[in-house]
Amino acid sequence: MKILVLLSQVPDTTARIAFTENDTRFDANGVQFIVNPYDEWYALVRALELNEASGGSVTTVTVGPADVEPTIRKGLAIGADEAVRIDAQPVDGLQVAELIAAYAKDKGFELILAGKETIDHNGGQVGGMVAELLDLPYVPMASKLDVADGKATVERDVPGGLEVLEAKLPLVLSTAKGMAEQRIPNMRGIMAARTKPLNVSPAGPVTGAAETTKFQLPPAKGAVKLIDAEEAGKLIELLHNEAKVI
Amino acid sequence: MSVVAFIDTRGSKVPKASAEALTYARRIADAEGGDVVAVTFGDAQGLGALGAHGASKVIVARHVKHVDGQQLTRLVAAVAESSGAKTVVCVHDATGKAVAPRVAARLKAGHVPGALDIPENGQVKRNVFSGKAQAWVLTTSERRVLSLMPNSVAASSDGGEAAVEEFTGDLGAAGVTVKEVKQAGEGIPLPEADIVVSAGRGMKGPEHWGPVEELARTLGAATACSRPVADMDWRPHHEHVGQTGVAIRPNCYIAIGISGAIQHLAGVNQSKVIAVINKDPEAPFFKAADYGIVGDAFEVLPKLIEAAKKLKAEQ
Ligand SMILES: Cc1cc2nc3c(=O)[nH]c(=O)nc-3n(C[C@H](O)[C@H](O)[C@H](O)COP(=O)(O)OP(=O)(O)OC[C@H]3O[C@@H](n4cnc5c(N)ncnc54)[C@H](O)[C@@H]3O)c2cc1C
């Protein structure tokens, strides 16, 4: 199958979160960047697994400036055939989706896979927007995907249960836990990644519908109230009478 | 200006998040002087009662039985057009995520996923960096889609009866077919739970989960776990909370034998009250906790169960 995987660059999960320029920008100073875990562990690995069974190609696409290139090379090291970078500073979900949809249109991708959200903006919106712009079906937060005879069988968690769905290809999915297991790139993969294509595609026009104007760190938590282990039962009493949450 | 609220009404009663979304839409409509038009699908009866939460009118597409993002997007966009609404409210959950981004793309509207409050000067607050910070999003488009984070707004229910209208227009073919819906076992679904009892590697092995489950049952809580616990198959994967698992925001999160790694906290730091039981006084989780017990889980749990049973017996 010809599969497109949406890869985004995010700060490492342990990165210190701070803001600059009057709290209008993320402070990237000293921050290590990684591929968004959902994109890497679930979307990319499942794409590779499906093609290991049936043949095909996996292209990753990222909207970002040149400095994301070292991060997205990791997708090639894990096994993608080609990486594409759309040359624009990501501002908003709709802008990113419009750029990706414009790139993907008419290229014949049978599957487009995203992570369920990024761990920085937590929007979970780009996959659905790409699907709408390309007029394709979309299933968010899929935990299982199999493809046979041009048809996909998908599972996803819904409140109180699990939905089993069927859809014809082409199809757009966002992927969540259960979809695949993380793969650590090996030396051969890392070497091969150096010679695999990383193509840069210019950005076309976008709508520009939303922007983040200000960030704020949450107020510091008050000190923890400690209860003696011998009188552990008091915790229940405090949660009931003082915090009033049970 | 009218506000359109797309909500799920399937199930035996109105889902809590749907009542919250209507209340939220009502507050926006009141601020702007307009009506709330609720849009829904499926077989639910007695939809006029949605007026209690703020809907003036309910438009229902009876022929759509399951969440099909394409059909529902056409439905919501059609109602937004016909009612002249500038704001579409959805819920940031499994149903809303299939529809809201599509509606935004279709209407060329700015989308705020996981909105926490009503707009202030056109700006809407939301969580970013997995709960480690908050951000304000300004929508600059003519229309906007706001997906409300469940548990952010208290649902009101003091309104009257809403008029109900069936939508019979053509919504095109469904893109996905639902083959089967498997109901989860008994117990409270984790994302909806008000109280969550969660345990980690400190429990030493799956055979020790009895008291964790007993405490949860007694409190009417859902159970959750840390990632290694799910990875080792001590507990089912859907219980894994954190950055790479489920993000939850219950009123009360009780963490037992969990160290409180930053990736774990990312999924639970929006809980209203956090209580931590850990034998290591240096465990990072205590820094994020409201209440803490430094002690051995195996000694503390029986005491908690006893106290919880006593409390329930008194209630
Ligand atoms: C990219 C990435 C994503 C991740 N995502 C997640 C995620 O989504 N969710 C998640 O949970 N983790 C996640 N992790 C893993 C995370 O970093 C921690 O390793 C994990 O949360 C630790 O789980 P734990 O607290 O159960 O185990 P441990 O770290 O082993 O902690 C066990 C705790 O139990 C205490 N303890 C031991 N015995 C007892 C006893 N008898 N009584 C009381 N306390 C006791 C110990 O003092 C210790 O604090 C992620 C890691 C990475 C790198």
Side-chain angles (χ1 to χ4, degrees):
Chain A
M1 264 181 301
K2 193 168 168 184
I3 307 179
L4 182 66
V5 174
L6 278 44
L7 279 197
S8 149
Q9 167 178 283
V10 296
D12 185 19
T13 54
T14 56
R16 187 183 73 104
I17 304 301
F19 304 100
T20 61
E21 294 177 40
N22 212 5
D23 288 335
T24 58
R25 289 181 79 104
F26 175 66
D27 184 358
N29 219 330
V31 169
Q32 175 92 33
F33 286 93
I34 60 170
V35 177
N36 182 45
Y38 300 111
D39 304 349
E40 179 192 322
W41 304 358
Y42 304 143
L44 176 59
V45 175
R46 189 64 192 140
L48 295 171
E49 287 172 353
L50 288 170
N51 277 353
E52 276 155 16
S54 66
S57 68
V58 175
T59 303
T60 68
V61 63
T62 305
V63 175
D67 56 16
V68 307
E69 289 188 3
T71 305
I72 61 180
R73 278 223 184 265
K74 188 170 179 201
L76 298 173
I78 294 171
D81 301 288
E82 181 199 9
V84 172
R85 177 175 71 80
I86 301 175
D87 190 24
Q89 186 67 44
V91 175
D92 156 53
L94 185 56
Q95 167 227 13
V96 170
E98 285 175 337
L99 293 171
I100 292 173
Y103 165 79
K105 199 174 185 313
D106 307 325
K107 291 214 170 51
F109 292 109
E110 291 155 285
L111 265 181
I112 300 180
L113 302 182
K116 75 162 187 181
E117 62 182 38
T118 57
I119 64 169
D120 54 359
H121 285 286
N122 308 103
Q125 55 181 339
V126 172
M129 289 172 166
V130 168
E132 182 65 23
L133 296 168
L134 298 175
D135 199 18
L136 297 177
Y138 168 67
V139 181
M141 295 182 296
S143 55
K144 206 158 180 259
L145 163 67
D146 283 299
V147 180
D149 308 321
K151 247 197 307 197
T153 308
V154 181
E155 289 185 10
R156 72 165 187 144
D157 290 330
V158 291
L162 181 92
E163 247 175 24
V164 185
L165 308 143
E166 215 172 69
K168 278 213 219 77
L169 302 184
L171 170 69
V172 185
L173 288 185
S174 85
T175 55
K177 191 177 171 74
M179 180 58 68
E181 296 288 335
Q182 181 182 12
R183 279 190 189 179
I184 312 291
N186 58 23
M187 210 50 206
R188 231 181 74 212
I190 294 167
M191 297 301 285
R194 292 192 187 156
T195 52
K196 285 183 184 172
L198 193 164
N199 295 317
V200 180
S201 169
V206 293
T207 302
E211 59 196 70
T212 297
T213 49
K214 189 173 150 61
F215 294 98
Q216 179 184 291
L217 292 172
K221 232 175 154 113
V224 55
K225 189 166 195 167
L226 286 178
I227 297 130
D228 186 3
E230 290 303 317
E231 293 169 30
K234 257 192 90 183
L235 173 63
I236 299 294
E237 193 193 308
L238 287 168
L239 290 174
H240 179 65
N241 291 322
E242 188 177 86
K244 296 189 182 0
V245 288
I246 63 171
Chain B
M1 207 62 82
S2 343
V3 174
V4 167
F6 166 67
I7 54 168
D8 201 334
T9 47
R10 294 172 301 166
S12 53
K13 57 181 189 356
V14 179
K16 184 167 161 245
S18 299
E20 291 168 359
L22 289 175
T23 305
Y24 180 74
R26 174 87 260 161
R27 286 174 58 193
I28 296 172
D30 282 347
E32 297 176 354
D35 283 334
V36 173
V37 183
V39 180
T40 189
F41 60 101
D43 298 322
Q45 295 304 309
L47 290 172
L50 294 175
H53 308 299
S56 324
K57 183 156 101 180
V58 180
I59 297 180
V60 54
R62 294 282 180 207
H63 53 300
V64 182
K65 306 284 184 205
H66 294 287
V67 178
D68 182 89
Q70 288 171 293
Q71 290 182 324
L72 290 172
T73 296
R74 291 177 199 121
L75 170 69
V76 175
V79 175
E81 294 288 356
S82 65
S83 62
K86 295 275 184 271
T87 306
V88 175
V89 169
C90 297
V91 178
H92 197 54
D93 67 358
T95 300
K97 284 175 187 175
V99 177
R102 299 196 76 116
V103 171
R106 194 177 189 91
L107 300 178
K108 299 275 174 256
H111 178 217
V112 183
L116 296 173
D117 210 339
I118 60 166
E120 255 178 76
N121 303 325
Q123 302 183 43
V124 184
K125 187 160 85 170
R126 59 185 301 268
N127 286 318
V128 290
F129 296 99
S130 305
K132 291 171 213 160
Q134 295 184 323
W136 277 262
V137 178
L138 176 71
T139 50
T140 49
S141 45
E142 193 197 338
R143 284 184 281 213
R144 62 187 173 188
V145 178
L146 308 179
S147 293
L148 180 67
M149 185 66 102
N151 249 336
S152 307
V153 170
S156 66
S157 48
D158 49 7
E161 184 82 3
V164 180
E165 206 175 278
E166 294 201 5
F167 184 97
T168 48
D170 181 22
L171 294 174
V176 295
T177 25
V178 176
K179 287 282 159 200
E180 199 185 339
V181 181
K182 294 179 187 164
Q183 294 300 329
E186 54 193 288
I188 300 158
L190 187 50
E192 290 161 35
D194 287 326
I195 308 172
V196 174
V197 176
S198 186
R201 200 143 61 177
M203 293 308 294
K204 311 281 191 284
E207 67 278 16
H208 297 136
W209 245 263
V212 176
E213 288 180 325
E214 192 178 355
L215 179 61
R217 227 177 8 252
T218 311
L219 294 173
T223 47
C225 69
S226 67
R227 177 171 162 220
V229 163
D231 284 353
M232 291 182 291
D233 282 331
W234 292 3
R235 297 297 293 174
H237 279 289
H238 63 78
E239 283 197 2
H240 158 193
V241 292
Q243 183 126 53
T244 46
V246 188
I248 54 172
R249 44 194 345 242
N251 287 329
C252 179
Y253 184 71
I254 303 177
I256 305 158
I258 302 176
S259 57
I262 192 159
Q263 298 93 352
H264 185 84
L265 295 180
V268 302
N269 56 12
Q270 299 296 313
S271 308
K272 203 164 138 210
V273 170
I274 295 178
V276 168
I277 294 109
N278 197 303
K279 69 174 186 188
D280 174 9
E282 301 296 317
F285 221 145
F286 285 117
K287 288 204 178 64
D290 301 281
Y291 296 96
I293 299 176
V294 179
D296 187 326
F298 297 96
E299 286 161 23
V300 168
L301 265 168
K303 295 199 172 87
L304 294 180
I305 293 166
E306 196 197 309
K309 284 195 169 149
K310 195 164 146 255
L311 175 71
K312 290 295 156 183
E314 283 164 11
Q315 280 176 351

